[in-house]
C-alpha cells in the first residue's frame, strides 16, 4: 500500500471508502475551492455519518419518495425494450426503424463487478461491425484528482449515425415547456460528467471525442402526466467548466500537503477531536453547499459572522471584507479601510447614511 | 375451472413439497403464501369429497371455490398461461398485466421474484420431475440468465435466447398476440384493450389501440424489419448451447467470482 493510500485510510478511519459518483463530482465542481470537501471525498469519508458524529445530524439527499418516483419513471420509459424511449427518439432524432438494438450493461453474466462491467461497456460501445443503438447503464470511468472513479450512470447511452448521445431520464416535470431551473442545471452538469467520461472511453477506443454529442437528451414527464417528453440540453458550457475544475482539482499529494499530518476523521475518535481536525482543513462555505454537501451545516455554523456565508453576491459586493463585524465598523466609519477595501467601504458608508436618514435612530 | 379430486391431491402434494423447500431455505413469506394456497385447496378437496359421498354424478355441482380476485391455480400455472399467450419471454410486469387482463386474476408481483429461484431449486433437487419449468431467458452473448425475463422450459432454446434486437421483437410479438387474443375473446375486455393501447402508442401506425387488427398489422409491418436479423443472431448463439449442462441450459451460465480480468487498455 502506498503512503498516499495509507494516509487516506487513516483520514477515513479504516474500512471501505465511499465512492464518487456523478453527483459528488458535479458538487465538487460547484465549489472547487473547498479543501475540506475535496479531502473528505478523496478519502472516501462517509460525510453524512461524520456530520452526525460532530453534532450536526440532519437529512441530506433526495427523499425516498423522490427516489422511488424516479425509479418508477425510469422503469416505465425503459419497459418493453425501451418502447416509449424508442418512440420518442424516432420522433425527435429521426431514428430509423431498424435501429432498435438494446444492450443491457447492468451486469455481465449475472456479475456486477465494476471493472468487469467497464470492460464490457468498452467492448460493446467500441464495436464497429455491428454498432448498437441503446446501451442500458454503461459503466464509465473518469479520472478525478489522480484517481480513477467508476461512474454508474443512471442512463442510456445512445448511438445514431455514428454519434453517441447521453440520455438522462429525470422525474421532475416539465410543465408547459418550463422546468425548475436548478434541477435542469443539476441534470446538465451531471450529464456533462457522463459526456466527459464517455468521450474518454471512445478516445481510448481510437475514435474521435466529437463522436460523443454535446447535446444531451433529457427525458422527463410532460406537464402533469406520466407521458415522457424529450428536451435537448446543450452542455458545452458545463463541459468547459467541468474540464477546468477537474484540472484545477489539485492532485492527491498536493491536497494532502494542505492537511496536517496524523489528521483523522474516524468515527471511532472522540467527537471533539474530530471537530478540531475537521476545523483544521480549510473550507469555503456557501449557501449553495446546503444542497450539495452533507457537511454543510457544520460549515455554516463555523462560518457564522463571516461575509462569505451570505452567498456569492454579497461576497462579491464586499470584496476584501472578511467578517460582518468589519462590515459594520467600516460602515460606521470606526475602522479605517485598507486600500483594497476602499471601494466597498465607500459603498457601506453611503448605505449607512441612507439608513440613518430614513430610520433615524429607530433601529 | 374445476379440478378433479385426484388433481387436487396432486397439487396439494406439490405445494407441501414446495413449502418444505421454502422452509428449509428460510423463506418464511413464501411459506405463508403457500400455506394460504394449500388451505384453499384443502377446502376444495373437502367439498369435492363431500360431493363424491353424496351422489355419484357430482359433476353437476356448480363452481364453488375460486373467487375472481385470486386464482385457485398455483402461481406457476398462472405465469405459464400468460407466457403461453405471449409466446415470447416477458418481464414480470407484463406477465402480471396480461394475466390480469385475460384471466381476471391478479398475481402478487412480489411472489414472482421468488418464483424463479424456487423453480431452479426444484429442478436441481429433482430434474425434469415437472412437465415444465419457468426459467429465465438467456442472453445470446453469454448464455447468462437475462435480468427479469421469464420463459418456459419447453420452448425451443432458440426462442428463449435474447439478442440485441430481441427486446423489440418481443414487444412487437406481444402486441400481435394480445391483439389476436382480444379478437378471439367472446366479449369486450376493457382491461385488455387498455393494455393493447399502451402497445399501440409505441408502434408506428398502431393507432389508439381500439382496433386490434390495426395494431397487429402495424406490429407485423415493423416486425418484418427486425425478425430476420434477430433470428440469425439467436440461431448463432443457440449453436453454442450444446455444451451446456441441463441446469445451465434452463437457468443460464453465471459468471461468478471472476479472477480479475486483465485490463486490456
Amino acid at each position: 500500500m502506498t503512503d498516499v493510500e495509507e494516509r487516506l485510510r487513516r483520514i477515513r478511519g479504516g474500512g471501505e471508502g465511499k465512492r464518487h459518483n456523478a453527483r459528488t463530482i458535479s458538487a465538487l465542481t460547484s465549489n472547487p475551492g473547498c479543501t475540506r470537501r475535496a479531502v473528505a471525498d478523496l478519502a472516501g469519508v462517509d460525510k453524512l455519518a461524520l456530520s452526525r458524529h460532530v453534532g450536526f445530524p440532519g437529512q441530506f439527499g433526495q427523499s425516498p419518495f423522490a427516489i422511488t418516483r424516479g425509479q418508477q419513471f425510469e422503469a416505465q420509459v425503459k419497459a418493453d425494450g425501451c418502447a416509449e424511449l424508442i418512440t420518442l427518439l424516432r420522433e425527435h432524432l429521426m431514428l430509423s426503424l431498424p435501429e432498435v438494438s438494446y444492450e443491457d450493461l447492468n451486469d455481465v453474466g449475472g456479475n456486477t463487478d465494476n471493472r468487469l462491467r467497464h470492460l464490457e461497456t468498452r467492448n460493446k460501445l467500441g464495436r464497429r461491425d455491428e454498432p448498437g443503438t441503446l446501451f442500458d447503464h454503461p459503466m464509465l470511468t473518469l479520472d478525478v484528482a489522480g484517481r480513477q472513479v467508476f461512474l454508474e450512470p443512471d442512463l442510456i447511452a445512445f448511438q445514431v449515425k455514428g454519434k453517441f448521445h447521453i440520455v438522462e431520464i429525470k422525474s421532475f416535470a416539465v410543465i408547459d415547456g418550463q422546468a425548475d431551473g436548478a434541477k435542469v442545471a443539476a441534470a446538465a452538469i451531471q450529464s456533462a460528467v457522463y459526456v466527459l467520461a464517455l468521450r474518454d472511453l471512445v478516445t481510448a477506443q481510437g475514435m474521435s471525442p466529437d463522436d460523443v454529442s454535446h447535446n444531451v437528451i433529457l427525458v422527463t414527464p410532460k406537464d402533469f402526466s406520466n407521458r415522457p417528453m424529450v428536451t435537448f440540453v446543450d452542455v458545452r458550457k458545463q463541459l468547459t467548466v467541468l474540464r477546468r475544475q477537474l484540472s484545477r482539482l489539485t492532485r492527491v499529494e498536493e491536497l494532502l500537503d494542505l492537511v496536517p499530518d496524523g489528521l483523522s476523521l474516524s468515527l471511532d475518535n472522540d467527537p471533539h477531536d474530530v471537530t478540531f481536525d475537521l476545523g483544521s482543513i480549510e473550507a469555503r462555505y456557501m449557501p449553495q453547499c446546503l444542497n450539495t454537501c452533507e457537511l454543510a451545516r457544520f460549515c455554516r455554523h463555523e462560518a457564522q459572522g463571516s461575509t462569505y456565508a451570505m452567498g456569492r453576491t454579497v461576497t462579491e459586493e464586499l470584496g476584501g471584507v472578511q467578517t460582518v463585524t468589519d462590515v459594520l465598523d467600516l460602515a460606521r466609519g470606526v475602522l479605517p479601510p485598507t486600500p483594497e477595501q476602499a471601494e466597498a467601504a465607500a459603498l457601506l458608508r453611503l448605505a449607512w447614511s441612507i439608513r440613518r436618514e430614513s430610520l433615524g435612530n429607530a433601529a | 375451472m374445476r379440478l378433479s379430486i385426484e388433481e387436487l391431491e396432486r397439487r396439494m402434494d406439490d405445494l407441501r413439497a414446495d413449502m418444505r423447500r421454502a422452509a428449509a431455505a428460510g423463506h418464511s413469506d413464501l411459506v405463508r403464501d403457500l400455506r394460504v394456497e394449500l388451505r384453499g385447496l384443502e377446502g376444495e378437496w373437502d367439498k369435492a369429497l363431500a360431493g363424491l359421498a353424496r351422489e355419484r354424478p357430482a359433476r353437476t355441482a356448480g363452481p364453488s371455490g375460486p373467487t375472481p380476485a385470486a386464482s385457485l391455480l398455483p402461481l406457476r400455472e398462472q405465469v405459464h398461461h400468460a407466457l403461453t399467450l405471449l409466446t415470447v419471454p416477458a418481464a414480470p410486469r407484463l406477465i402480471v398485466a396480461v394475466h390480469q387482463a385475460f384471466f381476471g386474476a391478479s398475481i402478487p408481483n412480489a411472489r414472482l421474484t421468488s418464483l424463479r429461484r424456487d423453480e431452479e431449486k426444484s429442478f436441481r433437487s429433482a430434474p425434469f420431475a415437472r412437465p415444465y419449468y419457468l426459467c429465465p431467458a438467456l442472453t445470446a452473448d453469454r448464455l447468462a440468465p437475462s435480468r427479469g425475463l421469464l420463459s418456459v422450459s419447453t420452448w425451443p432454446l432458440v426462442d428463449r435466447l435474447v439478442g440485441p434486437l430481441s427486446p423489440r421483437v418481443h414487444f412487437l410479438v406481444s402486441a400481435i398476440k394480445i391483439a389476436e387474443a382480444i379478437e378471439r375473446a367472446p366479449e369486450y375486455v376493457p382491461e385488455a384493450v387498455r393494455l393493447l393501447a399502451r402497445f399501440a402508442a409505441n408502434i408506428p401506425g398502431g393507432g389508439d389501440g381500439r382496433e386490434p387488427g390495426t395494431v397487429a398489422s402495424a406490429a407485423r409491418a415493423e416486425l418484418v424489419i427486425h425478425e430476420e436479423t434477430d433470428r440469425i443472431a439467436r440461431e448463432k448463439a443457440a449453436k453454442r448451447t450444446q455444451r451446456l449442462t441441463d441446469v445451465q441450459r434452463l437457468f443460464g451460465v453465471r459468471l461468478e467470482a471472476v479472477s480479475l480480468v486483465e485490463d486490456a487498455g
Side-chain angles (χ1 to χ4, degrees), chain A residues 107-328:
Chain A
D107 57 25
V108 184
N111 194 313
T112 50
D113 181 76
N114 286 350
R115 280 171 60 91
L116 202 58
R117 283 180 55 197
H118 178 59
L119 270 180
E120 182 83 346
T121 303
R122 273 209 319 223
N123 290 340
K124 291 263 162 87
L125 287 167
R127 198 190 298 160
R128 294 186 202 177
D129 47 339
E130 299 167 26
T133 303
L134 296 164
F135 301 91
D136 192 356
H137 281 222
M139 179 62 84
L140 307 172
T141 60
L142 195 66
D143 222 31
V144 180
R147 285 164 74 87
Q148 196 186 39
V149 171
F150 283 105
L151 293 173
E152 148 105 74
D154 202 16
L155 56 79
I156 288 176
F158 152 73
Q159 191 264 138
V160 59
K161 299 188 190 90
K163 216 169 170 76
F164 288 99
H165 296 256
I166 294 285
V167 179
E168 177 93 50
I169 302 172
K170 288 280 173 193
S171 60
F172 59 82
V174 175
I175 296 162
D176 200 15
Q178 296 286 311
D180 185 338
K183 284 180 178 159
V184 177
I189 188 100
Q190 260 185 54
S191 309
V193 176
Y194 298 138
V195 170
L196 209 58
L198 192 57
R199 283 192 172 167
D200 278 1
L201 187 139
V202 299
T203 323
Q205 297 287 86
M207 292 182 245
S208 148
D210 292 336
D211 287 344
V212 180
S213 168
H214 52 74
N215 270 325
V216 169
I217 301 164
L218 190 63
V219 179
T220 51
K222 186 173 171 23
D223 298 337
F224 299 100
S225 72
N226 245 349
R227 284 227 325 275
M229 66 173 284
V230 155
T231 321
F232 291 93
V233 183
D234 185 340
V235 295
R236 261 178 296 188
K237 193 176 134 231
Q238 283 82 354
L239 277 174
T240 327
V241 173
L242 197 64
R243 232 181 266 120
R244 196 177 62 231
Q245 310 288 39
L246 280 177
S247 67
R248 262 174 53 180
L249 269 183
T250 20
R251 296 183 51 77
V252 191
E253 291 86 355
E254 290 165 29
L255 256 177
L256 287 178
D257 282 345
L258 300 174
V259 176
D261 260 341
L263 172 134
S264 171
L265 304 177
S266 168
L267 299 180
D268 301 331
N269 292 2
D270 185 70
H272 287 291
D273 294 345
V274 178
T275 309
F276 179 80
D277 273 351
L278 206 52
S280 65
I281 318 175
E282 196 196 330
R284 188 170 294 174
Y285 171 78
M286 304 189 291
Q288 290 91 324
C289 291
L290 286 171
N291 293 329
T292 52
C293 182
E294 294 90 336
L295 284 171
R297 281 164 210 281
F298 173 84
C299 301
R300 181 174 64 175
H301 180 76
E302 185 192 62
Q304 242 171 23
S306 68
T307 48
Y308 58 82
M310 294 176 184
R312 209 168 268 159
T313 347
V314 177
T315 319
E316 277 165 17
E317 292 283 342
L318 299 174
V321 193
Q322 298 292 334
T323 68
V324 176
T325 330
D326 282 357
V327 169
L328 291 173

Side-chain angles (χ1 to χ4, degrees), chain B:
Chain B
M1 180 166 76
R2 177 127 194 205
L3 300 171
S4 74
I5 193 158
E6 290 86 353
E7 276 177 302
L8 280 170
E9 277 165 4
R10 212 169 41 241
R11 287 255 155 73
M12 280 156 64
D13 282 345
D14 277 356
L15 265 180
R16 287 201 185 98
D18 284 348
M19 274 172 77
R20 173 169 49 76
R21 262 179 242 118
H27 301 305
S28 54
D29 287 0
L30 186 64
V31 174
R32 200 170 50 237
D33 288 349
L34 291 173
R35 180 169 291 131
V36 173
E37 220 167 279
L38 183 64
R39 294 279 173 268
L41 283 179
E42 282 170 346
E44 275 298 288
W45 187 82
D46 284 342
K47 277 182 199 142
L49 191 70
L52 274 184
R54 225 180 7 250
E55 46 186 325
R56 258 193 326 117
R59 296 206 159 272
T60 47
S64 48
T67 55
S71 171
L72 184 66
L73 290 174
L75 176 71
R76 57 193 308 271
E77 297 220 357
Q78 299 178 37
V79 174
H80 186 248
H81 280 168
L83 282 173
T84 309
L85 188 147
L86 291 171
T87 72
V88 284
R93 249 164 86 114
L94 182 59
I95 292 176
V96 172
V98 166
H99 198 271
Q100 179 112 37
F102 289 100
F103 305 102
S106 62
I107 302 176
N109 208 344
R111 281 185 54 199
L112 278 179
T113 24
S114 56
L115 180 72
R116 212 157 103 169
R117 227 177 18 236
D118 295 337
E119 290 282 302
E120 183 168 350
K121 236 178 282 164
S122 156
F123 183 84
R124 280 178 190 272
S125 59
F128 299 111
R130 294 174 165 183
Y132 65 85
Y133 290 86
L134 298 171
C135 42
L138 306 184
T139 59
D141 53 351
R142 294 182 190 277
L143 306 176
S146 80
R147 274 188 333 128
L149 289 181
L150 278 175
S151 67
V152 183
S153 62
T154 49
W155 291 352
L157 191 62
V158 69
D159 291 342
R160 287 183 41 228
L161 291 172
V162 184
L165 293 177
S166 306
R168 187 67 186 174
V169 169
H170 293 163
F171 171 75
L172 295 170
V173 172
S174 303
I176 297 170
K177 294 296 170 187
I178 290 169
E180 285 173 357
I182 291 176
E183 282 180 328
R184 270 202 313 271
E187 57 199 50
Y188 181 74
V189 205
E191 287 225 29
V193 174
R194 255 200 306 277
L195 178 63
L196 187 63
R198 253 176 40 202
F199 280 81
N202 293 310
I203 300 171
D208 58 3
R210 263 177 244 165
E211 299 278 333
T214 317
V215 183
S217 56
R220 276 191 201 102
E222 197 193 322
L223 189 58
V224 173
I225 303 172
H226 314 303
E227 215 173 14
E228 176 82 10
T229 331
D230 178 51
R231 194 174 44 76
I232 292 171
R234 284 188 288 117
E235 275 170 0
K236 218 162 88 186
K239 287 201 187 110
R240 290 186 285 125
T241 59
Q242 280 154 8
R243 268 173 293 161
L244 300 186
T245 63
D246 285 338
V247 176
Q248 284 176 333
R249 200 168 298 137
L250 289 191
F251 299 99
V253 185
R254 274 170 212 280
L255 200 57
E256 302 199 75
V258 186
S259 58
L260 261 187
V261 182
E262 243 343 279
D263 202 316

